Amino acid sequence: MAELVQPVDGILVNEKAATLAAVPRRRSSDLTARGEPMVWAMGGSLALGLMMIAGFMGLIFWSGLTAFWPKPVEVVTLTSGRVIAGEPLRTESYKPEPAALAALPAEARAEIEAHGGHSSRTLYHVGNFDFYGEDFVWVPAFEVKSVSRPRDIMLVERQEWGALIGTVESISVDGRTIDTPGMAALDAAQRRARALRAERMSMEKHAIGGINRELNDLRLSVRKAELDHGEGSPEALAVAERAARETARLNGEFARLSAEVSVIREKEAALTASAAEIGGQAREFPLANFVRYYAANDLTLAEKAGVYLARWWEFLSAEPREANTQGGVWPAIFGTFVMTVVMSLLVAPFGVVAALYLREYARQGRIVALVRICVNNLAGVPSIVYGVFGLGFFAYVLGGSIDALFFPERLPSPTFGTGGLLWASLTMALLTVPVVIVSTEEALAAVPRSMREGSLACGASKWQTIKWIVLPRAMPGIMTGLILAMARGAGEVAPLMIVGVVKLAPELPVDAVFPFIHLERSFMHLGFHIYDVGFQSRNSEAGRSMVFVTALVLMALVLALNTVSINVRNRLKRKFAGDKF
């Protein structure tokens, strides 16, 4: 029996209990028991992830927004006596080759060895590819004798051969040579040459291109008549006779337009400029080939801003040039937008109808559970597999059947039997339909059962209940699935490389030519443009800035499409604010 101590206020106290009571109680518990380390770990992971996303977005935005800002042109004199002129792009540390170090003076070699055998070098954009055969040159710091920025040196952006860096010695206007022309004379001659070039290209594209389309349609009409009625039949001969008369008329019109184009081309060729690079080599260039030019080291802030905005406008509104490393990306922007919209129009009914059947009509059991598992697994299939399936089934099977039924006169040249906008959109719809099905099912399941029962109790049929009660309240969740589908579809590249995307599409899928919407045409895509410029151009440095700018435009396009969808979803949410959705 435990020993008792003297009573305290008439109460006997256990000696051991009294001892424990005398020890001060700990007011804090073990951190692991309270879970705070896990909270810190999860919060730290979230913060790290947000910082990584912010860093990535910041890199894209900074590199994209500053890519078009005009840089100064430096004239660098090397110790060997060679002189180069170019835009300094970036400087990095590197370790020179032993042979290069051995050829240096003792002082320069000692300085490099004092820095651990490392030196610095600068990458210059020298342009003048038609002079040098290269666009970029690395210049080691130990080879630099002097650097200057002369105010008269010019940078000329051209339609072909990239940038020209040097001086304009003279211009030739209709056989008259003007030496050392001022900017006013150069501007006037260049504007005239660009106007002639635009007129010539418009005639070649629209007028002459329209005649070529008509001639091709006449040829196909004769071929179709021969297939329908037999070669040599009266019907085929009548069609051939009419086609021959119309072809003769069109050939006469073609000859007249070709003569006009030749006259314009001669006027255009009479406007030239003689330019010299920094080493003194001079050549004559057509002024129509000059896109823009400026004295790189003599620009005010307002003039730099003007060049910057002009480059952005060209980028957003013009076609690519120089193997897609210069010019604009308007065809890629338009192709990405049209493909995403068509994909959304195709994936919405398929995904919603499938989710409606699985949730509202199908008897829940093992088969339905297996179908749901398969749908979820489809989201994990590599996207390139969808591209192979799209090419094999949509293009070759469905497209080949369409060509055989409706376009036999065009064979063996395929119309729908090859990659195009329609098959690319269907392939992307198939790739993103699991996302729409899952999100739609979740949205349907979240609609309170009491609403269904109330509608049915009032005499509505099951379809009327779904149409007027369930679907409107589930629409915000369905829109969430569509937003996710659009975001994924707009950024996918691998399937599109197989089913319709090309490096350069001279004709847009939507134009003013009947039937106005050409779903069979190939198209350009911003995602593929990034891949092509970054990894398929002749010089990766030439496309480095274009990669960031195109990525920025792609992100902006996806953000714009998502913003529209989110606004629609929010309006639907406000409409049913009193409900769960």
Side-chain angles (χ1 to χ4, degrees):
M1 185 175 179
E3 182 180 357
L4 299 178
V5 299
Q6 294 297 325
V8 179
D9 295 334
I11 301 175
L12 295 177
V13 180
N14 184 285
E15 183 179 4
K16 184 175 181 180
T19 304
L20 293 175
V23 178
R25 180 177 296 178
R26 294 174 59 187
R27 296 184 178 275
S28 60
S29 61
D30 190 2
L31 290 178
T32 57
R34 297 170 60 182
E36 289 193 8
M38 291 303 300
V39 175
W40 295 340
M42 289 186 290
S45 300
L46 176 61
L48 180 61
L50 291 177
M51 287 190 293
M52 292 174 63
I53 294 173
F56 171 74
M57 298 289 289
L59 174 64
I60 296 294
F61 273 86
W62 175 257
S63 301
L65 292 176
T66 59
F68 290 150
W69 188 259
K71 302 176 182 63
V73 172
E74 295 182 350
V75 176
V76 183
T77 303
L78 306 181
T79 55
S80 62
R82 181 188 174 192
V83 179
I84 66 170
E87 298 176 295
L89 299 182
R90 66 178 185 273
T91 301
E92 67 179 23
S93 176
Y94 85 112
K95 191 170 185 178
E97 295 292 334
L101 287 175
L104 293 177
E107 295 182 359
R109 187 166 59 252
E111 182 178 356
I112 293 175
E113 291 175 352
H115 290 84
H118 288 78
S119 180
S120 63
R121 61 180 181 179
T122 302
L123 180 65
Y124 283 92
H125 173 217
V126 297
N128 301 336
F129 188 82
D130 43 350
F131 283 99
Y132 309 141
E134 57 183 355
D135 291 304
F136 300 87
V137 173
W138 284 103
V139 178
F142 56 78
E143 290 187 7
V144 176
K145 182 179 181 181
S146 63
V147 178
S148 63
R149 294 182 177 181
R151 302 175 67 88
D152 61 337
I153 197 163
M154 297 187 66
L155 188 145
V156 182
E157 298 177 20
R158 300 180 290 176
Q159 289 285 346
E160 300 173 350
W161 299 106
L164 170 67
I165 297 177
T167 56
V168 177
E169 304 293 330
S170 64
I171 60 174
S172 177
V173 180
D174 300 329
R176 181 170 56 91
T177 302
I178 303 175
D179 295 325
T180 59
M183 292 297 291
L186 183 59
D187 290 343
Q190 192 261 355
R191 282 196 299 268
R192 180 183 168 191
R194 296 287 293 179
L196 289 171
R197 184 179 186 275
E199 181 183 1
R200 173 178 61 81
M201 293 188 66
S202 177
M203 291 183 64
E204 291 174 344
K205 182 176 181 180
H206 298 292
I208 296 180
I211 290 177
N212 288 330
R213 283 193 296 271
E214 292 185 47
L215 289 172
N216 187 56
D217 291 341
L218 290 172
R219 180 185 64 81
L220 293 176
S221 67
V222 174
R223 174 63 177 162
K224 182 174 178 58
E226 291 175 349
L227 292 175
D228 292 343
H229 305 286
E231 189 173 355
S233 63
E235 294 85 351
L237 291 176
V239 172
E241 183 179 355
R242 289 195 300 271
R245 291 196 300 269
E246 190 65 16
T247 299
R249 183 187 68 80
L250 290 174
N251 284 333
E253 185 70 11
F254 181 88
R256 183 184 66 81
L257 291 174
S258 297
E260 293 181 9
V261 168
S262 298
V263 172
I264 296 174
R265 185 178 283 107
E266 290 177 0
K267 294 180 180 179
E268 182 182 332
L271 300 169
T272 61
S274 177
E277 50 90 39
I278 196 66
Q281 301 181 68
R283 291 184 184 178
E284 196 171 20
F285 305 95
L287 276 171
N289 197 28
F290 287 12
V291 177
R292 71 180 58 83
Y293 47 86
Y294 54 88
N297 301 323
D298 195 27
L299 291 178
T300 63
L301 182 62
E303 290 171 338
K304 289 182 178 180
V307 173
Y308 178 76
L309 295 177
R311 285 174 170 175
W312 265 109
W313 174 249
E314 180 192 18
F315 183 76
L316 296 176
S317 62
E319 295 182 356
R321 65 174 190 271
E322 286 296 293
N324 290 354
T325 59
Q326 294 183 13
V329 292
W330 167 244
I333 296 174
F334 191 80
T336 305
F337 174 78
V338 173
M339 189 277 296
T340 305
V341 171
V342 174
M343 178 205 71
S344 301
L345 295 176
L346 292 172
V347 74
F350 284 116
V352 173
V353 169
L356 274 175
Y357 180 80
L358 290 174
R359 177 60 59 178
E360 302 292 336
Y361 289 97
R363 179 178 298 178
Q364 303 303 312
R366 293 183 178 179
I367 296 179
V368 173
L370 180 62
V371 171
R372 287 197 176 98
I373 293 173
C374 293
V375 169
N376 292 329
N377 288 338
L378 282 176
V381 175
S383 59
I384 191 68
V385 176
Y386 286 98
V388 174
F389 174 81
L391 180 67
F393 180 72
F394 292 137
Y396 291 163
V397 177
L398 292 184
S401 301
I402 291 174
D403 286 349
L405 290 174
F406 301 102
F407 305 101
E409 69 277 7
R410 297 176 180 266
L411 295 175
S413 297
T415 303
F416 283 92
T418 186
L421 176 64
L422 177 60
W423 306 137
S425 301
L426 273 172
T427 301
M428 299 310 299
L430 187 64
L431 186 147
T432 55
V433 74
V435 178
V436 179
I437 292 176
V438 172
S439 63
T440 302
E441 273 207 82
E442 295 295 330
L444 294 173
V447 177
R449 185 176 181 83
S450 59
M451 289 188 172
R452 294 178 172 86
E453 294 173 349
S455 176
L456 295 172
C458 290
S461 65
K462 188 168 186 176
W463 169 243
Q464 289 173 330
T465 299
I466 293 173
K467 180 180 179 181
W468 300 111
I469 302 298
V470 178
L471 274 180
R473 285 158 179 81
M475 193 56 68
I478 296 173
M479 290 297 299
T480 299
L482 288 177
I483 292 170
L484 295 174
M486 284 195 303
R488 183 178 181 188
E492 283 287 349
V493 177
L496 300 179
M497 295 170 63
I498 302 177
V499 288
V501 168
V502 293
K503 181 183 179 70
L504 182 63
E507 295 179 320
L508 297 177
V510 179
D511 58 18
V513 179
F514 183 83
F516 311 119
I517 299 177
H518 310 275
L519 298 179
E520 78 282 359
R521 286 182 181 174
S522 298
F523 64 102
M524 295 183 67
H525 189 273
L526 288 171
F528 179 76
H529 191 270
I530 294 171
Y531 164 76
D532 176 67
V533 171
F535 301 99
Q536 301 296 310
S537 59
R538 60 178 171 82
N539 193 327
S540 60
E541 289 293 341
R544 183 184 179 92
S545 59
M546 294 291 286
V547 168
F548 287 105
V549 179
T550 307
L552 179 62
V553 172
L554 177 59
M555 291 169 56
L557 179 61
V558 173
L559 179 62
L561 292 173
N562 287 351
T563 300
V564 174
S565 302
I566 290 171
N567 286 334
V568 173
R569 183 186 64 183
N570 291 340
R571 290 191 178 188
L572 293 172
K573 282 186 177 182
R574 288 193 295 268
K575 184 177 180 181
F576 302 103
D579 299 333
K580 187 172 182 179
F581 270 80

